[in-house]
């Protein structure tokens, strides 16, 4: 049983709750690989994706998760909604709430937007990425993939490399992985690091080779050009040379180490094509596991809400 009506971040999620979500996702994954992708778990439930930023993986995997469990999936984007006419986030959220939405899944450029939404609606709110704060379902699917491939998360050394400063994926992974007993080292150019991350429990270094050496998992992060001012690194070519994940650099990791990336990938920038497509890469598996984890979360959050019964006509 999850303690909150919402999933706003892994900072406020316990290790027991993470275990429960990952265990449930294991059952859901069986559905994805079957020829009958239909369960009744969300029958009669209404799920809304509310995306104020672009997305392929997160939005589609939530929509498919809902459809695989027989729920009603709807979506709204900022450009096609009354937000473009000046409506506030709270007014939009209340409008969707009174339409009978059970779960709202919000991606927003402002850190804390899902927390604000959750306080103003009866529906469950899932954070699908808020500014540079958190992306909890990405970290959950990352941990699921590590557990599936390496047998567990406890005791692993995970190197997270790249644009750590602007990364909600890094923050959620630091919260989640440390709670689950892994050690995390984050690495990148000094201009893309924030020393405060060591207060969250991660080792912080600007030496990528040191971070990768002996790691069980090497996770690349996308350079988030849309969130950064110019001048944080001299050029894309130089960035790739000194901080990019190449096959040579990944060879420093433990034998059998996983290569991960949340996507979308900038090939030849934060990771080379050879490394992204290598046998060690589990980038495709991460995407598949994203559907299973999001099915699990939708199931667990809606299970908490009592059935009120349908109208007989
Ligand atoms: N990893 C991730 O959040 O990808 P999308 O932006 O495509 O959703």
């Amino acid at each position: 049983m999850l303690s909150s009506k919402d999933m706003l971040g892994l900072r406020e999620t316990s290790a027991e709750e993470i275990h429960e979500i990952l265990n449930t996702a294991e059952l859901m994954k069986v559905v994805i690989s079957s020829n009958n992708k239909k369960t009744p778990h969300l029958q009669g439930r209404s799920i809304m994706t509310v995306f104020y930023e672009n997305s392929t993986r997160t939005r589609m995997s939530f929509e498919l998760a809902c459809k695989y469990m027989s729920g009603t999936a709807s979506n709204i984007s900022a450009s096609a909604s009354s937000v473009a006419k000046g409506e506030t986030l709270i007014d939009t959220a209340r409008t969707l709430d009174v339409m009978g939405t059970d779960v709202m899944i919000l991606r927003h450029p402002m850190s804390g937007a899902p927390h604000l939404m959750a306080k103003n609606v009866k529906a469950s709110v899932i954070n699908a990425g808020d500014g540079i704060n958190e992306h909890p379902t990405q970290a959950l699917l990352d941990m699921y993939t590590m557990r599936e491939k390496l047998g567990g998360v406890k005791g692993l050394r995970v190197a997270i490399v790249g644009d750590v400063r602007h990364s909600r994926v890094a923050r959620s992974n630091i919260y989640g992985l440390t709670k689950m007993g892994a050690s995390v080292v984050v690495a990148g150019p000094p201009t893309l690091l924030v020393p405060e991350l060591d207060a969250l429990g991660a080792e912080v270094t600007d030496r990528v080779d040191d971070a990768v050496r002996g790691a069980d998992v090497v996770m690349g992060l996308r350079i988030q050009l849309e969130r950064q001012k110019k001048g944080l690194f001299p050029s894309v070519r130089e960035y790739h040379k000194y901080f990019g994940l190449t096959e040579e650099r990944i060879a420093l990791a433990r034998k059998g180490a996983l290569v991960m990336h949340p996507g979308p990938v900038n090939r030849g920038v934060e990771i080379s094509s050879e490394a992204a497509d290598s046998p060690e890469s589990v980038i495709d598996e991460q995407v598949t596991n994203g559907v299973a984890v999001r099915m699990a979360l939708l199931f667990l959050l809606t299970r908490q809400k009592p059935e009120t019964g349908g109208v007989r006509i």
Side-chain angles (χ1 to χ4, degrees), residues 51 54-59 107 128 135 138 169 262-264 294:
F51 274 55
N54 294 342
S55 168
T56 299
R57 291 150 201 79
T58 313
R59 203 182 101 179
R107 171 167 288 190
H135 191 351
Q138 178 68 45
V169 174
R294 287 162 181 139

Side-chain angles (χ1 to χ4, degrees), residues 146-300:
M146 291 176 209
R147 196 173 90 150
E148 184 180 61
K149 295 282 174 189
L150 301 174
V153 171
K154 195 172 178 183
L156 296 181
R157 178 176 166 83
V158 180
I160 302 179
V161 179
D163 184 358
V164 178
R165 184 189 191 115
H166 302 97
S167 179
R168 52 200 181 202
V169 174
R171 282 171 184 76
S172 281
N173 264 299
I174 293 170
Y175 289 127
L177 286 164
T178 53
K179 280 179 190 179
M180 298 292 276
S183 64
V184 181
V185 53
V186 295
T191 49
L192 293 179
L193 289 172
V194 268
E196 301 90 85
L197 291 178
D198 69 7
L200 305 185
E203 194 185 318
V204 181
T205 179
D206 58 4
R207 291 188 295 270
V208 174
D209 289 0
D210 290 354
V212 171
R213 195 168 288 112
D216 300 288
V217 177
V218 182
M219 184 187 295
L221 294 176
R222 184 172 70 84
I223 289 289
Q224 300 198 31
L225 294 170
E226 74 275 24
R227 278 187 229 285
Q228 58 183 253
K229 298 186 193 91
K230 283 194 167 63
L232 291 178
F233 55 89
S235 71
V236 162
R237 200 144 61 132
E238 203 159 337
Y239 180 87
H240 184 66
K241 181 171 175 199
Y242 292 106
F243 301 100
L245 292 178
T246 56
E247 284 193 303
E248 296 72 41
R249 230 169 231 137
I250 287 163
L252 298 170
R254 189 184 60 76
K255 195 170 179 323
L258 305 181
V259 174
M260 301 179 78
H261 192 296
V265 171
N266 290 312
R267 288 172 182 266
V269 185
E270 69 266 2
I271 189 166
S272 67
S273 267
E274 294 74 24
D277 299 330
S278 67
E280 293 76 29
S281 169
V282 291
I283 295 172
D284 288 347
E285 285 93 331
Q286 285 175 267
V287 176
T288 307
N289 292 338
V291 183
V293 160
R294 287 162 181 139
M295 286 173 80
L297 198 52
L298 289 173
F299 167 67
L300 291 169

